[in-house]
DNA sequence: GTTGAAAACAATTTGGT
DNA sequence: ACCAAATTGTTTTCAAC
């Protein structure tokens, strides 16, 4: 991971669809050199994939929330992956502190949200914070 | 947004580097049709960009946390964007509830984390949950 | 890591249903 | 809205260095 790798990572984080040729122009390296560096970044796991980013709010999922689950023991939602296998749940993070995990969820309506919370409540105590806006929706990893 | 659009979104969320030709094969549509549909998805904002996903933990940032900031009034961190302009802060979400915002942060060491918390404490009261693991690190948006 | 050439591939335009 | 065909251009991938 030298400066050149970070340059490539920066470009690909900003636009994952850049061709090796275009990348080679931007970082002033030959296309084969770029291809091999990117391949190594992929194989080493630094690049975990290339994704089109879809804003849930642009697809009818206008209710976004962070749901903190307090549930320990055998009933904990983390021990029931089928519950977490919902298209409404976009991220699950196990955390330290008074809660066991934090979920990022996005649904179309408050009614859907209520129903999701009801389902989650079977495993523990959900505590919800509605996301009003995201001043920093995302930032690239940099050195 | 019909079924075909969702099919395309699914493919591009799984692999943003697919060519229009390859996409056209997968969804059984001609390349020009795919190109125009994707262009429309981009222009309408449904596709917000294409990003290489870099796992911070693979780049030395092994300390990941969710930091909840309690700070209201003129001193609130949300009114000081320069504070949020840090390479250690990857997401900022304004939320309802007892807190004003939630930050996803990733740093190399606990020492770095301590220093970040110290800086944040100038604006309000940070409450940190360390991310132990992410059972669902990410899920694509689907209908 | 570079260069240059060959082969493969992809994007776009056109004309049409 | 879509397809097919052809053109044009680009990208990738060899090889040799």
């Amino acid at each position: 991971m030298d400066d050149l790798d970070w340059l490539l990572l920066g470009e690909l984080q900003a636009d994952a669809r850049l061709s090796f040729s275009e990348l080679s122009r931007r970082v002033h390296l030959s296309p084969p050199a770029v291809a091999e560096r990117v391949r190594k970044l992929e194989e080493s796991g630094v690049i975990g994939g290339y994704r089109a980013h879809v804003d849930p709010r642009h697809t009818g999922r206008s209710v976004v929330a962070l749901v903190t689950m307090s549930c320990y023991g055998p009933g904990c939602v983390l021990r029931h992956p089928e519950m977490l296998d919902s298209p409404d749940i976009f991220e699950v993070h196990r955390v330290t502190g008074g809660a066991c995990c934090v979920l990022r969820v996005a649904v179309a309506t408050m009614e859907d949200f209520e129903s999701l919370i009801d389902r989650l409540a079977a495993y523990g105590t959900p505590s919800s914070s509605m996301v009003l806006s995201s001043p920093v929706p995302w930032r690239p990893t940099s050195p």
Side-chain angles (χ1 to χ4, degrees), chain A:
Chain A
M1 286 284 304
D2 57 12
D3 293 353
L4 234 30
D5 283 330
W6 277 112
L7 263 176
L8 290 169
L9 278 188
E11 295 292 341
L12 284 173
Q13 286 182 97
D15 184 358
R17 285 178 71 78
L18 292 172
S19 67
F20 292 154
S21 306
E22 179 57 29
L23 280 172
S24 79
R25 273 168 233 132
R26 300 197 182 190
V27 308
H28 307 295
L29 213 65
S30 69
V34 166
E36 199 182 325
R37 275 176 181 264
V38 171
R39 189 187 52 75
K40 281 179 185 166
L41 288 169
E42 289 166 351
E43 285 187 355
S44 67
V46 172
I47 293 179
Y50 304 93
R51 308 176 186 155
H53 181 251
V54 176
D55 180 358
R57 292 196 143 117
H58 269 85
T59 66
R61 295 184 182 268
S62 52
V63 177
V64 181
L66 298 176
V67 180
T68 299
M69 290 295 294
S70 296
C71 54
Y72 285 97
C76 177
V77 69
L78 291 178
R79 301 200 191 180
H80 297 269
E82 71 277 11
M83 172 68 236
L84 302 177
D85 240 356
S86 157
D88 298 337
I89 300 176
F90 288 81
E91 288 173 34
V92 178
H93 304 285
R94 190 182 173 201
V95 294
T96 64
C100 71
C101 59
V102 176
L103 284 59
R104 187 169 67 83
V105 309
V107 293
T109 65
M110 269 298 169
E111 197 182 332
D112 293 336
F113 186 63
E114 183 173 4
S115 131
L116 177 59
I117 294 298
D118 280 345
R119 275 180 285 144
L120 285 169
Y123 303 89
T125 306
S127 169
S128 304
S129 296
M130 311 311 293
V131 174
L132 298 168
S133 62
S134 297
V136 180
W138 171 82
R139 174 169 290 132
T141 305
S142 59

